[in-house]
Amino acid sequence: MPMKRSPSRSSCGCGSIISLCLAIFFLYGNIHTSNPKCSIQDFYLPALNNSLNSTDNATLYFQLKLRNPNILKGIYYDPVNVTVFNKFNTTTHIRNYVVPDFYQGFRKTAEKDGSVNFNEGAVSRAAFDNRTAVFRVDLVTAVRFKSFVWKTKSKRHQIMVGADVEVNDQGTKVNQKNVKLSQAPLSLRFCCVVAVLFNFLVFILLNF
Ligand SMILES: *[C@@H]1O[C@H](CO)[C@@H](O)[C@H](O)[C@H]1NC(C)=O
Ligand SMILES: *[C@@H]1O[C@H](CO)[C@@H](O)[C@H](O)[C@H]1NC(C)=O
Ligand SMILES: *[C@@H]1O[C@H](CO)[C@@H](O)[C@H](O)[C@H]1NC(C)=O
Ligand SMILES: *[C@@H]1O[C@H](CO)[C@@H](O)[C@H](O)[C@H]1NC(C)=O
Ligand SMILES: *[C@@H]1O[C@H](CO)[C@@H](O)[C@H](O)[C@H]1NC(C)=O
Ligand SMILES: *[C@@H]1O[C@H](CO)[C@@H](O)[C@H](O)[C@H]1NC(C)=O
């Protein structure tokens, strides 16, 4: 939708208040940039499901959730590289799955299914005596933000997040809630806050 024309100045004070609010909204939406929020919704290893009485199926199935929290910015994702390995043996049996590049509109959420094939031995070794295990999931990609107002693309921002996923003796993640992949670059966030404050100040000075 195109930017709305603000009502004519003469009508009343409301007009200028509304246009001020709109200006703040667009300014904020344009300047403030948040990285996508990444989490793991589903995580299932049939080989670790005790009820199956079989460890033959050494595939790991997972579902990623990628959310664009920005109010006025779309996100172009480069291919998303998801790496999974045994948390306690980080040198061998590293598997990865690549989600093809895609575009995500603002405030949209994408759910991406993925799977990796371990071998039976690797899964068995990853499990403790009580048949639980801990896997490490790392996600690496780069994103470009598309400004809704100016139709421009930002330069690439590197995203590197990860989490430990505990798996129970039914082969699914222990945590019922989504497992958040984190390691947000603090410096970027800090810069954004400073930029927003600075621009807001300039805006105020120019208008009054
Ligand atoms: C584990 O296997 C049992 C038996 O086939 C099945 O009923 C159950 O749904 C499986 N658990 C999960 C989490 O899929
Ligand atoms: C697994 O083994 C138990 C005990 O031997 C049995 O009761 C159960 O039905 C088996 N489950 C499957 C899916 O074969
Ligand atoms: C492994 O388990 C998944 C999920 O239960 C199932 O969809 C898939 O067909 C199984 N693969 C094999 C080779 O048994
Ligand atoms: C994904 O990450 C793995 C492990 O770091 C690496 O070996 C692989 O080359 C990467 N793949 C892509 C397409 O970047
Ligand atoms: C990791 O796994 C490999 C292959 O199974 C094994 O040789 C190695 O000793 C393991 N390392 C650790 C720290 O358990
Ligand atoms: C299973 O064993 C591991 C390692 O000994 C332990 O950290 C974990 O808490 C145990 N899990 C359960 C559910 O008993």
Side-chain angles (χ1 to χ4, degrees):
M1 46 168 192
M3 201 199 284
K4 289 204 180 67
R5 295 295 305 168
S6 47
S8 77
R9 213 170 256 266
S10 56
S11 59
C12 70
C14 300
S16 48
I17 290 173
I18 290 169
S19 56
L20 176 70
C21 291
L22 270 178
I24 291 171
F25 175 79
F26 278 100
L27 201 61
Y28 178 83
N30 259 298
I31 294 161
H32 183 78
T33 305
S34 298
N35 282 340
K37 303 274 180 268
C38 312
S39 59
I40 296 170
Q41 307 213 96
D42 292 323
F43 200 84
Y44 179 47
L45 278 127
L48 293 180
N49 182 354
N50 276 358
S51 314
L52 286 176
N53 300 340
S54 154
T55 56
D56 292 347
N57 193 339
T59 306
L60 158 67
Y61 300 89
F62 60 86
Q63 189 179 59
L64 285 177
K65 187 171 163 184
L66 303 165
R67 189 169 67 82
N68 178 1
N70 294 293
I71 50 173
L72 287 175
K73 279 180 181 171
I75 296 182
Y76 289 94
Y77 291 81
D78 277 358
V80 179
N81 194 354
V82 183
T83 311
V84 189
F85 50 88
N86 174 3
K87 159 99 170 143
F88 299 105
N89 191 337
T90 57
T91 49
T92 53
H93 303 299
I94 298 169
R95 296 288 182 271
N96 80 294
Y97 179 86
V98 178
V99 178
D101 54 344
F102 67 102
Y103 173 76
Q104 182 173 51
F106 51 84
R107 300 205 68 77
K108 290 281 195 305
T109 298
E111 286 167 349
K112 302 283 177 183
D113 290 319
S115 64
V116 293
N117 289 305
F118 284 103
N119 60 46
E120 228 185 301
V123 176
S124 301
R125 273 191 299 277
F128 300 119
D129 294 340
N130 59 17
R131 307 292 301 153
T132 68
V134 183
F135 288 86
R136 175 74 196 175
V137 179
D138 285 325
L139 181 155
V140 176
T141 188
V143 295
R144 283 165 299 161
F145 298 99
K146 181 190 168 193
S147 164
F148 168 70
V149 175
W150 291 306
K151 311 283 181 208
T152 52
K153 278 188 210 172
S154 74
K155 65 178 172 55
R156 283 185 162 77
H157 293 260
Q158 206 70 28
I159 308 286
M160 290 173 82
V161 291
D164 294 340
V165 181
E166 283 180 68
V167 175
N168 59 25
D169 64 4
Q170 295 300 299
T172 58
K173 64 179 165 55
V174 171
N175 197 339
Q176 290 297 303
K177 290 192 292 187
N178 293 345
V179 177
K180 210 174 129 196
L181 301 176
S182 54
Q183 204 235 308
L186 286 171
S187 55
L188 184 67
R189 283 193 179 182
F190 180 68
C191 283
C192 283
V193 170
V194 171
V196 168
L197 290 178
F198 179 76
N199 280 280
F200 189 69
L201 191 68
V202 169
F203 183 81
I204 301 273
L205 289 176
L206 289 178
N207 279 271
F208 297 98

